Amino acid sequence: MKNLINKAKKTLLNNRRRGYTLPTNNKLYPAQWNWDSGFIALGYSCFNLNFALKEIDTLLKGQWNDGMVPHILFHDTNTNYYPNHTAWNCGNKIHSSGITQPPILATILKRILEKKKLNNTQLINVKKITKKIKKFHEWFIQYRDPKKLGLVSILHPWESGYDNSPIWDRSMEKIKIHKNLKYKRADNKLINPEFRPLNIDYDRYVTIKNHLRKIKYNPTKAYKSSLFNVIDVGFNSIFLKANKDLVWLLDKFNLDHSKINKYIKLTEKNFLKLYDKKKGTFYSKDIKNKKKIYIPSITNYFVLFADLDNYEVNKNLIQNLKKYNSKEKYFFSSIKPNHMSFEEKRYWRGPVWINCNWFIYQGLKNKDIAFSNSVKKKTIELLEKSNFYEYFSCKNGQPMGANNFSWSASLYLDLKINEN
Ligand code: DGY
């Protein structure tokens, strides 16, 4: 499959702009996205370490003074994307959105470092990057967990990265859509609208965004007055793993990690409170409306990736995960197919996403080798059959969304080339 490895590299290089990489080569996402860039850096690390570090460097140039790393950086302001830089109306030197995205940089950087191929100049750069990531994580701890629960909140579904997941449905239904919203979507003109979120979803996304803009993205006010506030299992799993990987990085550079270590302990303890022993599943929590959220989403299994120190819980999760897509040819669907909210083709309401498979694979490696290998094999087979699309049907592997999707190419490289 050498050809496909070359094709994956070319996909990244074709999507590359000055110091950063677009999520795809069409006009759907004409900017730099936070977690996309993390996955993209991992892909570059398979063949060009300078590009890998540059991708992260560029993203961190957009870090706000308070530590937040935005979910989008608008390096090019001349696009049809909505919401664009004027709709957000924020950012420092670089125009950006006013919300964040799953913090995967520490995890990615650790993997890059473990290859042991960086030269001294690159290592000096990695130390600087590590300090910025620490500031980002401290921002989460300070502003997204003011009650010191060891679990952080997201204040917009876009922060999760799984925008229109049914996880948010009940919380979103409660949002009173602002009157006279005037905006023009571009996404559903570029991609089959059946694959994209609905207009009512966008009305709500824009309403939350406008509220955050009104309070000038003040992080304390944002938490207190938010229209949407959820402690999500998947997001917190990614953050817990990233904190563990950050400690590893800080240790490597003799930097202080006591605060992060303390936070990890608190998270480990309180994460288990989100476990429903009877059902054998984790649930998310709507903080705004004080409701538990039980949606069978693949992101709930990211707990495996977080490496919680609990053998029983991990064992039960793996058992359930084996049943999650037992009737489908391709896995893992973003939502369990027998659930009423499942939609085979609509973005995060059912399709298979390669980054989800990657998180699960990473989480299984040290717990169930045979299962982890089959996840890896099936994911590679899906990409080899269907190409580097954005997402896929779990029923027949139909590719959907954008083609030449950077993180699908990147994670293909990581799965094929990196041994562990
Ligand atoms: C989009 O534009 O669909 C993005 O997912 C928002 O971050």
Side-chain angles (χ1 to χ4, degrees):
M1 272 301 145
K2 193 144 198 277
N3 270 349
L4 216 60
I5 288 182
N6 284 338
K7 191 168 176 211
K9 292 179 185 171
K10 273 202 191 122
T11 302
L12 291 180
L13 294 174
N14 286 340
N15 292 348
R16 192 162 192 264
R17 298 295 178 266
R18 290 177 63 163
Y20 71 99
T21 307
L22 300 171
T24 165
N25 68 338
N26 80 1
K27 296 184 173 144
L28 186 61
Y29 306 119
Q32 183 176 22
W33 259 260
N34 186 327
W35 73 336
D36 292 68
S37 266
F39 293 123
I40 288 164
L42 186 60
Y44 281 132
S45 73
C46 298
F47 65 103
N48 189 326
L49 286 164
N50 279 335
F51 283 8
L53 296 182
K54 184 73 185 168
E55 187 74 28
I56 299 175
D57 260 338
T58 307
L59 180 69
L60 290 171
K61 283 216 174 84
Q63 182 166 34
W64 287 14
N65 290 338
D66 63 10
M68 198 269 274
V69 182
H71 103 293
I72 306 177
L73 299 184
F74 299 103
H75 300 288
D76 174 5
T77 52
N78 187 20
T79 72
N80 284 332
Y81 181 78
Y82 185 83
N84 62 7
H85 67 292
T86 48
W88 284 104
N89 192 28
C90 58
N92 302 320
K93 285 159 277 170
I94 300 173
H95 292 294
S96 75
S97 67
I99 57 173
T100 190
Q101 241 183 355
I104 61 166
L105 290 181
T107 298
I108 299 297
L109 203 58
K110 176 173 178 259
R111 280 180 70 74
I112 294 176
L113 231 77
E114 278 171 339
K115 292 173 189 244
K116 296 199 167 74
K117 287 191 182 148
L118 296 175
N119 62 34
N120 273 348
T121 319
Q122 288 166 330
L123 281 172
I124 292 169
N125 190 17
V126 169
K127 185 171 177 183
K128 282 190 200 144
I129 293 176
T130 301
K131 287 182 186 167
K132 291 184 182 176
I133 297 177
K134 185 182 182 206
K135 198 171 164 197
F136 182 31
H137 285 214
E138 285 171 350
W139 173 86
F140 268 113
I141 295 170
Q142 179 171 357
Y143 294 113
R144 293 307 181 85
D145 182 13
K147 296 185 184 132
K148 304 284 161 267
L149 304 169
L151 299 162
V152 294
S153 286
I154 55 167
L155 304 183
H156 195 300
W158 281 337
E159 292 201 310
S160 70
Y162 20 105
D163 305 1
N164 68 339
S165 167
I167 305 173
W168 326 124
D169 283 1
R170 283 184 70 191
S171 317
M172 290 297 266
E173 275 160 22
K174 293 263 175 359
I175 287 173
K176 284 204 189 93
I177 294 167
H178 286 169
K179 282 191 196 121
N180 304 321
L181 287 179
K182 279 199 192 89
Y183 67 95
K184 223 175 162 175
R185 291 177 67 176
D187 63 294
N188 55 357
K189 317 276 179 310
L190 293 159
I191 296 291
N192 183 344
E194 284 171 23
F195 303 167
R196 292 289 304 173
L198 304 172
N199 283 337
I200 181 126
D201 298 326
Y202 262 77
D203 281 354
R204 290 170 176 140
Y205 299 148
V206 174
T207 296
I208 308 174
K209 172 194 74 68
N210 288 351
H211 168 73
L212 293 170
R213 188 175 67 181
K214 204 167 136 207
I215 56 159
K216 298 195 165 59
Y217 306 102
N218 175 304
T220 309
K221 282 191 199 156
Y223 186 94
K224 282 195 184 140
S225 70
S226 68
L227 307 179
F228 177 96
N229 182 334
V230 174
I231 288 181
D232 173 59
V233 171
F235 195 96
N236 278 280
S237 303
I238 292 171
F239 189 47
L240 175 55
K241 175 74 165 91
N243 273 325
K244 291 177 180 175
D245 292 338
L246 178 60
V247 166
W248 185 93
L249 289 164
L250 292 168
D251 199 43
K252 193 148 192 74
F253 295 112
N254 283 323
L255 296 165
D256 177 49
H257 48 69
S258 49
K259 196 172 161 190
I260 305 288
N261 252 330
K262 229 170 108 189
Y263 195 74
I264 291 172
K265 291 211 174 81
L266 186 64
T267 307
E268 286 267 353
K269 188 170 126 227
N270 285 340
F271 215 128
L272 287 172
K273 293 185 184 154
L274 301 179
Y275 185 61
D276 185 318
K277 219 171 164 184
K278 257 199 204 141
K279 293 192 168 80
T281 55
F282 280 83
Y283 59 86
S284 295
K285 248 175 142 171
D286 180 335
I287 298 296
K288 170 94 184 156
N289 300 298
K290 300 191 174 57
K291 290 257 185 298
K292 292 179 179 175
I293 306 174
Y294 283 99
I295 296 289
S297 165
I298 193 62
T299 55
N300 294 339
Y301 292 90
F302 293 176
V303 176
L304 295 166
F305 177 68
D307 263 337
L308 272 192
D309 189 15
N310 191 309
Y311 176 78
E312 272 307 304
V313 167
N314 288 334
K315 197 181 84 185
N316 288 344
L317 280 180
I318 292 173
Q319 254 171 20
N320 285 338
L321 184 59
K322 283 182 176 162
K323 289 183 246 158
Y324 183 92
N325 272 137
S326 52
K327 296 204 178 80
E328 285 71 40
K329 190 154 179 223
Y330 300 94
F331 57 69
F332 291 104
S333 57
S334 33
I335 296 298
K336 200 169 174 187
N338 66 357
H339 192 256
M340 58 197 260
S341 67
F342 172 83
E343 291 181 64
E344 183 193 343
K345 299 183 180 177
R346 202 179 290 286
Y347 211 37
W348 285 94
R349 301 182 74 86
V352 175
W353 287 79
I354 300 304
N355 65 336
C356 290
N357 285 17
W358 185 86
F359 284 126
I360 300 290
Y361 166 66
Q362 297 299 333
L364 286 173
K365 271 186 335 193
N366 60 355
K367 302 176 189 72
D368 188 329
I369 293 176
F371 191 24
S372 78
N373 280 337
S374 88
V375 171
K376 178 173 169 167
K377 191 165 161 270
K378 293 277 258 180
T379 306
I380 287 173
E381 276 168 14
L382 176 61
L383 288 168
E384 289 179 348
K385 166 186 148 57
S386 303
N387 239 320
F388 302 128
Y389 268 81
E390 191 178 359
Y391 40 95
F392 308 87
S393 156
C394 64
K395 308 270 182 203
N396 54 23
Q398 180 193 339
M400 291 175 289
N403 193 0
N404 300 303
F405 196 66
S406 298
W407 88 33
S408 299
S410 267
L411 297 176
Y412 178 77
L413 289 174
D414 187 59
L415 292 173
K416 284 292 276 194
I417 295 176
N418 290 337
E419 275 309 303
N420 45 58

